[in-house]
Amino acid sequence: MEKKPFRPYVPADQNPPEFTPVSVITGVLLAVVFGGANAYLGLRVGLTVSASIPAAVLSMGIIRMVLRRSSILENNMAQTIGSAGESVAAGAIFTLPALFMWADEGLCQPPTLPEAGLITLCGGALGVLMMVPLRRTLIVGEHGVLAYPEGQACAQVLMAGEEGGARASAVFAGLAVAAVYKFAAEGWKLFPAEVDWAFSAYPGGGFGLDVLPALAGVGYICGARVSSYLFSGGTMAWLALMPLIALFGGGTVLFPATVSVAELLAREGTWGLWSSYVKYIGAGAVAAGGILSLVKSLPLILRTFREVVGGYGRGDAGTLRTERDLSPKTLTAGVLAAAAALWLSPAIPLNLFTALLVVVFAFFFAAVSSRMVGLIGASNNPVSGMTIATLLIASLVLKAAGTAGVQGMVTAVTIGAVICITASVAGDTSQDLKTGFLVGATPRKQQIGELIGCCVSAAAIGAILYLLNAAWSYGSKELPAAQATLMKLVVEGVMGGDLPWALVFIGVFLALAMEVLGTPVLPVAIGLYLPVHLSAPIMAGGLVRWLVERRKYDAPAARERCVRSGILYASGLIAGEGVVGILLAVLAVVQTGGGSLGALLDLSGRFYLGNGGALVCFAGLLASLYGFARRGERD
């Protein structure tokens, strides 16, 4: 493949419409929708999903089918801008909610809306700018070696333009079904969104599931294997570790709880055991899993770093449209501007040294992220592991330099937020540039589009973070903010040394045992950290995909069409719940004379289906997912 001369779908000597008002406006709208949806999903579940493919499908449905425009490069530009929203959201929600949680504890002031937007914007801009020098090495030079799976999939979707209408309809159908379902469950409250059981004959043991569309959608997209890893972690926690704690704890008071295990179980039930003990075990497992994935990637990291340093500043390789990047001068100016903004902003606690530290980390992890997504895909990019490593190093350096306490914690999380967003955006940018390479886009225009998407998403995500915190608060059952809570615990542990380290190390050694057995550590660890109520419905979605894949088909292409149709419908389920979740947050915040608008919508006092009705509704949702997947066989 490397030996053959590559020819893009649109030749370099052609110049069809690409960076147009239609493509930019469409992309901006998609960036806001998918950014908001992934922000809500990540805060609720602890995972985000790639928005590139659904953004490509929707952009094609809007531009090609509604506006009757036929330029594939316009579709690609809209997809490029739109997918930036998801990557910015992923980086922001894994870190910034820690600052809000400390503010709720009275330790500091929450970041203002401009502060949150500026941190997010600087991280996003660094992610794009740091990836640009990598394009010729990773996208062009290693074409045929690095797969960039989402990038290739998006290119295939865009090049199959005649199928765009049918594919877009699957996404819109999922969005509509999820919107109505979510509003019925958490707006009108016709049935509970969470079904929960505690086993009196098995003290400490419990089970449950959140009967929500986004979780089923995530399970279908991840597939049965990854979903089973998540579910096994949840099962280990709720049906093994918690009963063990209840059995052997008894009347003993175990730190960090202030009452005995038996009294805690009597007062707060299984949730008390989970919040007081199991989440620390899960935090240790997730941290160990992230660092293990990073250590295993060290040879790849060092190789990429050498190639980037050796190839930077060569300038354009030619005058062809498909070979033009942003100039080195523009990149340098942009990086310096981002560093200056982080340093000079009075509200962001970074000095010149820490701002330069951010730039060094950003360059390093952008290179790591860009190569890793080429091998394993953006959805498997260990951004959390990179962030944990950054937080550990930053916290140790700051503490050694005398910046400790609350100021040190806030500074460390700010550094971690910028790096996390940088790594996430760099990975997404590399996938988008791979798509552009295959379809024949202009790299420089794509890179400008990515920066536009980051700017819009930074403003939107900052507002969404404030809105969701005002509605439910981070760390609550409605918004566990699992990754941000983990980052908070890491920084507090280094700075204050007051963590229940015994529990954390139990999680670390469980992760090491899984690594020795060859089990993927991170998905199991995330399932261990999150309540089983989240991994159980994800497992249900994974089983639906397993059923779709196990059916007998006339040809392999028919199976592929069915799986892809289900993925598009599942993407709509995720987007629909995310959008309505944000709407419900608005209604919960807006007050009227009789209370919040959200409370006025509550119909549970007149009509309530109960747990049985919730399970029936969720079964119907799963059936609709299976049905839409089967529709792909007829397309």
Side-chain angles (χ1 to χ4, degrees):
M1 186 173 178
E2 290 180 285
K3 296 178 181 178
K4 298 178 182 178
F6 173 76
R7 293 183 178 85
Y9 186 81
V10 178
D13 57 357
Q14 295 182 14
N15 194 22
E18 184 172 6
F19 192 84
T20 64
V22 169
S23 64
V24 172
I25 293 172
T26 303
V28 164
L29 293 175
L30 292 176
V32 173
V33 170
F34 283 110
N38 265 282
Y40 178 80
L41 176 70
L43 290 166
R44 178 122 194 183
V45 185
L47 297 170
T48 59
V49 295
S50 174
S52 297
I53 294 175
V57 170
L58 286 178
S59 70
M60 209 161 40
I62 295 169
I63 293 176
R64 183 179 294 273
M65 307 306 296
V66 177
L67 302 178
R68 304 293 180 182
R69 299 171 70 93
S70 59
S71 172
I72 189 175
L73 299 189
E74 275 190 308
N75 295 332
N76 179 63
M77 179 58 65
Q79 179 274 135
T80 296
I81 298 173
S83 65
E86 173 266 328
S87 58
V88 170
I93 62 172
F94 285 0
T95 48
L96 289 179
L99 301 178
F100 290 90
M101 287 187 271
W102 280 326
D104 290 341
E105 295 171 8
L107 298 178
C108 64
Q109 292 296 316
T112 64
L113 191 58
E115 292 166 16
L118 182 60
I119 293 170
T120 307
L121 175 60
C122 289
L126 287 173
V128 176
L129 297 172
M130 295 292 189
M131 197 277 144
V132 172
L134 303 171
R135 189 189 70 84
R136 291 198 185 108
T137 299
L138 302 182
I139 306 297
V140 180
E142 298 204 42
H143 177 59
V145 177
L146 297 178
Y148 289 102
E150 288 94 345
Q152 292 205 48
C154 281
Q156 292 299 320
V157 169
L158 292 171
M159 288 188 282
E162 65 275 8
E163 300 179 35
R167 292 181 177 184
S169 68
V171 181
F172 282 119
L175 196 150
V177 168
V180 173
Y181 186 104
K182 176 77 170 179
F183 208 85
E186 298 193 336
W188 294 319
K189 299 187 184 302
L190 302 181
F191 56 88
E194 181 180 270
V195 180
D196 182 68
W197 298 277
F199 306 133
S200 57
Y202 189 43
F207 191 74
L209 64 163
D210 288 0
V211 289
L212 293 172
L215 301 177
V218 168
Y220 186 93
I221 291 173
C222 291
R225 181 177 294 274
V226 174
S227 299
S228 68
Y229 293 140
L230 288 164
F231 185 58
S232 66
T235 304
M236 185 193 305
W238 287 71
L239 296 177
L241 293 178
M242 286 163 50
L244 281 172
I245 293 170
L247 178 64
F248 292 108
T252 306
V253 179
L254 299 176
F255 179 77
T258 57
V259 297
S260 69
V261 172
E263 186 175 349
L264 180 67
L265 183 60
R267 285 184 186 179
E268 303 180 28
T270 53
W271 286 100
L273 295 182
W274 175 81
S275 62
S276 295
Y277 305 115
V278 172
K279 76 174 184 179
Y280 293 101
I281 297 174
V286 173
I291 292 173
L292 281 171
S293 67
L294 203 59
V295 169
K296 288 188 291 185
S297 303
L298 278 177
L300 184 65
I301 292 169
L302 295 175
R303 176 188 167 192
T304 302
F305 189 78
R306 286 196 302 266
E307 291 174 351
V308 171
V309 172
Y312 182 71
R314 291 176 184 167
D316 282 335
T319 58
L320 292 177
R321 175 183 59 80
T322 54
E323 297 176 359
R324 297 170 189 158
D325 291 299
L326 290 172
S327 68
K329 290 182 180 179
T330 302
L331 300 181
T332 303
V335 170
L336 291 176
L342 292 171
W343 171 34
L344 299 175
S345 174
I348 297 178
L350 298 183
N351 54 31
L352 179 59
F353 170 73
T354 50
L356 292 175
L357 190 66
V358 165
V359 172
V360 172
F361 274 120
F363 181 70
F364 183 73
F365 284 122
V368 173
S369 180
S370 298
R371 180 177 283 274
M372 292 192 73
V373 300
L375 292 169
I376 60 177
S379 299
N380 301 309
N381 190 13
V383 172
S384 60
M386 301 180 204
T387 309
I388 290 169
T390 301
L391 288 174
L392 287 172
I393 296 170
S395 298
L396 290 170
V397 170
L398 290 169
K399 190 172 183 180
T403 306
V406 174
Q407 183 183 358
M409 294 192 302
V410 172
T411 303
V413 165
T414 302
I415 293 172
V418 176
I419 301 307
C420 188
I421 297 166
T422 296
S424 179
V425 170
D428 174 75
T429 301
S430 61
Q431 294 285 2
D432 290 339
L433 290 176
K434 182 67 172 184
T435 303
F437 175 72
L438 295 173
V439 302
T442 308
R444 181 163 55 198
K445 293 179 180 179
Q446 273 195 285
Q447 291 151 12
I448 294 171
E450 291 280 1
L451 291 171
I452 292 173
C454 289
C455 290
V456 173
S457 301
I461 296 303
I464 289 168
L465 287 174
Y466 262 86
L467 176 63
L468 294 176
N469 185 62
W472 294 300
S473 296
Y474 299 126
S476 63
K477 288 178 64 176
E478 291 83 2
L479 290 175
Q483 298 278 11
T485 303
L486 171 61
M487 307 306 171
K488 173 176 176 284
L489 293 175
V490 168
V491 174
E492 288 176 343
V494 175
M495 291 291 184
D498 56 352
L499 279 180
W501 286 106
L503 297 173
V504 172
F505 279 111
I506 289 172
V508 169
F509 289 112
L510 282 174
L512 292 174
M514 287 184 269
E515 180 68 26
V516 170
L517 292 172
T519 304
V521 177
L522 266 179
V524 178
I526 291 173
L528 180 64
Y529 181 76
L530 294 171
V532 73
H533 303 65
L534 299 176
S535 57
I538 290 174
M539 184 73 246
L543 289 175
V544 172
R545 178 160 176 176
W546 180 80
L547 291 173
V548 172
E549 292 175 334
R550 292 276 294 182
R551 286 187 70 254
K552 292 184 178 180
Y553 296 90
D554 296 333
R559 175 184 283 106
E560 180 63 29
R561 287 197 303 271
C562 288
V563 171
R564 185 179 299 173
S565 178
I567 288 174
L568 294 173
Y569 183 74
S571 298
L573 292 179
I574 294 169
E577 181 177 335
V579 170
V580 174
I582 294 168
L583 173 62
L584 292 175
V586 174
L587 297 177
V589 170
V590 177
Q591 298 292 317
T592 65
S596 70
L597 286 177
L600 297 178
L601 294 171
D602 189 347
L603 300 179
S604 59
R606 287 171 283 174
F607 186 77
Y608 189 65
L609 298 175
N611 287 348
L615 294 174
V616 169
C617 290
F618 190 63
L621 182 75
L622 295 175
S624 74
L625 177 56
Y626 182 79
F628 261 89
R630 289 286 310 277
R631 281 183 57 181
E633 195 171 4
R634 301 190 297 270
D635 291 342

